[in-house]
Amino acid sequence: MPEHHTNNLRGRRWVGWGHGLLGVIIFSGSLPATRAAVSGFTPLFLTASRAVIAAGLGAALLALLRQRRPARGDLGPLAVVALGVVVGFPLLTALALRHVTSARSIVFIGLLPLATALFGLLRADDRPKPAFWLFSGAGSLLVAGFALAHGDGGDLTGDGLMLGAVMLCGLGYAEGARLSRRLGGWQVISWALLLAAPAMAALALATWPEIWPGIGLRAWAGLGYVSVFSMLIGFVFWYRGLALGGIAGVGQLQLLQPFLGLALAGLLLGEPIEGTMVAVAAGVVLCVVAAKRFA
């Protein structure tokens, strides 16, 4: 393989990892923001309204930059993206956060890299080396062990909802990354949002809050964050990162998300953070670095 081609490939992957890291940083605030938002809004209204707001912004971008409509064959994959990241993950996490703390729910995000890698293998034929699965599994086990040790705030219903959310999100990530190689990262999430917009608008109207004055600033701030950053801006970086750096490899950056999110939960929501978080986070970082080498 020519040296210039190898250098271009490496440069492309580093750009992908940089975009992926920015996406993870943005997504790290999603669960604390959702926890804040459900203090004033129902999970169904929150899921619908955040999608409608983000769809409006996405539609404006598509029109302003005169993007072509996706082909008919792209509608099915876009529906999968919408099911995973527009409807499934936001709804299930919002429901889960009525049963568990955001600190506990964030820990489950540590299982997302494995889910993303598995769906990348199934949907996008993304095939990392065998050693990758070893380090990816080790990182996930570290996070799962931390979840078990972090026993306060546990609830079977909440934990089950979070597991379902992780599986749907992994599917949406892998499918969106596959599409973004052809359509572009922000275009994929924008079209997926528009595809889901009619149903989400109807749901928002059906679950419209009866009393608006009683909704606090904290809930409004949470809604604003998940609508603009979690639902749109984060995906601009994330899908581009997955497309350039590889679904399985860049997906490992999500192992850092629980610890970034836990720090935010402690700082913004005053939720207790255990000292073992730092040690586990260090082990996870090592697993991410090793997994990147073999992705």
Side-chain angles (χ1 to χ4, degrees):
M1 183 180 293
E3 184 177 349
H4 72 276
H5 180 77
T6 302
N7 291 334
N8 287 339
L9 183 60
R10 288 176 179 172
R12 180 184 174 90
R13 287 180 176 174
W14 276 111
V15 171
W17 278 72
H19 279 77
L21 181 58
L22 285 173
V24 166
I25 291 172
I26 292 171
F27 290 149
S28 295
S30 297
L31 291 177
T34 300
R35 175 78 168 179
V38 294
S39 66
F41 301 103
T42 66
L44 285 175
F45 178 78
L46 175 62
T47 299
S49 59
R50 67 187 278 183
V52 170
I53 294 169
L57 296 173
L61 282 174
L62 290 169
L64 183 65
L65 299 177
R66 299 181 179 180
Q67 298 297 299
R68 290 191 302 175
R69 294 181 180 180
R72 182 173 298 180
D74 294 327
L75 294 181
L78 282 171
V80 173
V81 174
L83 173 65
V85 302
V86 177
V87 181
F89 184 78
L91 177 59
L92 293 183
T93 52
L95 291 170
L97 286 165
R98 287 200 156 187
H99 299 275
V100 298
T101 65
S102 64
R104 182 173 180 83
S105 68
I106 287 166
V107 173
F108 282 88
I109 302 303
L111 302 175
L112 195 47
L114 266 183
T116 304
L118 287 171
F119 281 115
L121 177 65
L122 293 172
R123 299 294 300 164
D125 199 29
D126 199 48
R127 298 181 182 277
K129 298 175 182 178
F132 163 84
W133 297 104
L134 175 64
F135 289 109
S136 177
S140 297
L141 284 175
L142 278 174
V143 175
F146 183 76
L148 293 175
H150 199 279
D152 60 313
D155 179 274
L156 186 60
T157 300
D159 289 352
L161 288 167
M162 282 305 305
L163 285 173
V166 163
M167 294 305 294
L168 283 175
C169 193
L171 173 60
Y173 280 171
E175 195 70 24
R178 188 176 69 86
L179 274 176
S180 66
R181 292 169 181 168
R182 183 170 70 258
L183 300 180
W186 70 268
Q187 293 93 331
V188 167
I189 190 60
S190 296
W191 288 118
L193 285 163
L194 280 179
L195 191 63
M200 293 294 98
L203 181 60
L205 290 174
T207 57
W208 195 262
E210 295 181 1
I211 303 175
W212 290 93
I215 300 173
L217 180 61
R218 177 177 169 180
W220 281 111
L223 174 61
Y225 189 92
V226 297
S227 300
V228 178
F229 291 94
S230 305
M231 202 82 263
L232 184 62
I233 295 178
F235 282 102
V236 173
F237 296 103
W238 183 241
Y239 276 148
R240 180 167 174 77
L242 291 174
L244 292 177
I247 296 171
V250 174
Q252 295 308 295
L253 289 169
Q254 294 167 112
L255 286 170
L256 302 176
Q257 188 171 330
F259 305 100
L260 294 171
L262 284 169
L264 288 173
L267 290 172
L268 302 179
L269 302 179
E271 295 183 356
I273 304 300
E274 295 182 0
T276 53
M277 183 183 77
V278 177
V280 177
V284 165
V285 169
L286 292 176
C287 289
V288 170
V289 172
K292 179 186 182 300
R293 182 176 180 181
F294 295 105

